[in-house]
Amino acid sequence: MSWNVFITREIPEEGIAILKRFCQTVEVNPHDRSLTYDELLQQVKGRDAILTMLSDKIDARMIQEAANLKVIANYAVGYDNINVKAATEGGIVVTNAPGVLTDSTADMAWALLFSVTRRIVEGDRLTRTGKFTGWAPMFLLGGDIVEKTLGIIGAGRIGTAMALRSRGWNMKVLYTTYKSRNTILEEDLGAQKADLETLLRESDFISIHTPLSEKTRHMIGTRELSMMKKTAYLINTGRGPVIDEMALVEALRNKQIAGAGLDVYEDEPRLKPGLAELDNVVVAPHLGSATVETRARMSVMAAEDIALVLSKQKPKNCVNPEVFTR
Ligand code: DGY
């Protein structure tokens, strides 16, 4: 068969090479930017497969226009950018990239936690601008991490990896999960499952790992932020809209919480007004999975799943398995 694949952004060569061995046409967006909705709409027409980014909105219209499409391989573990229901109705398989980015994203959550708690970015700014005038006993004091309470919202793969890294700091771990229990965390760390309110009230560090859905959109808003300790820090490496970002700006401005470390934003890549002016927040540009090794693994995973679907086999990471029983 003469398969035709479109990749919406340049990805590591490992994945492209797999696709080139298997498909006659493999085209990559030549621009150093995401395509606009209309540009993407033109590109999906006539393709058998598309390899998409979390920033590509694949809605019902896009799916309808892509009459030949058989598979959408999302280059991310989250797939809230895709209308999966419309894809399933259209008989299109949707795949994602779980597991391969667990460690890099958990590392990023810790990097943000350290950066904001020990005021590293603030200190870097002062040092570069010549405002470090010498060691002083009351200069840029942060918070301790050891033996504090870590609250994990969404103890799935990445949340679990984040929590397991707390061993070195002998922390108490609370977690929420939509599943019944996380036995790894309970057995390895003595972690306790908690309801959201208890977790918010008792944790010193709260790290968000829950996927974005209509249920989790604005899960953390004014009310929830007001339940947190004044000394607590909020970390988000999941999806921006899980936090009501304007409510967070207010809470940070009023010192209602101590700080936040963010990798994702409600209107990504834009920040809500006021966020960038605050000193008690570290803002990273969605780098959770951004390591050379992880991005290469993601490209292989997405490409292999495309090849499996096009050769009429089940992909390894299907998010809509019901598509096979329609
Ligand atoms: C994901 O895979 O969902 C991550 O956010 C990518 O960095």
Side-chain angles (χ1 to χ4, degrees), residues 54 75-78 97 101 105 237-239 264 286-290 295 298:
L54 56 89
Y75 192 71
V77 64
L101 46 71
T105 309
T237 52
R239 286 290 180 264
V264 288
H286 204 148
L287 297 176
S289 65
R295 290 283 165 87
M298 289 165 71

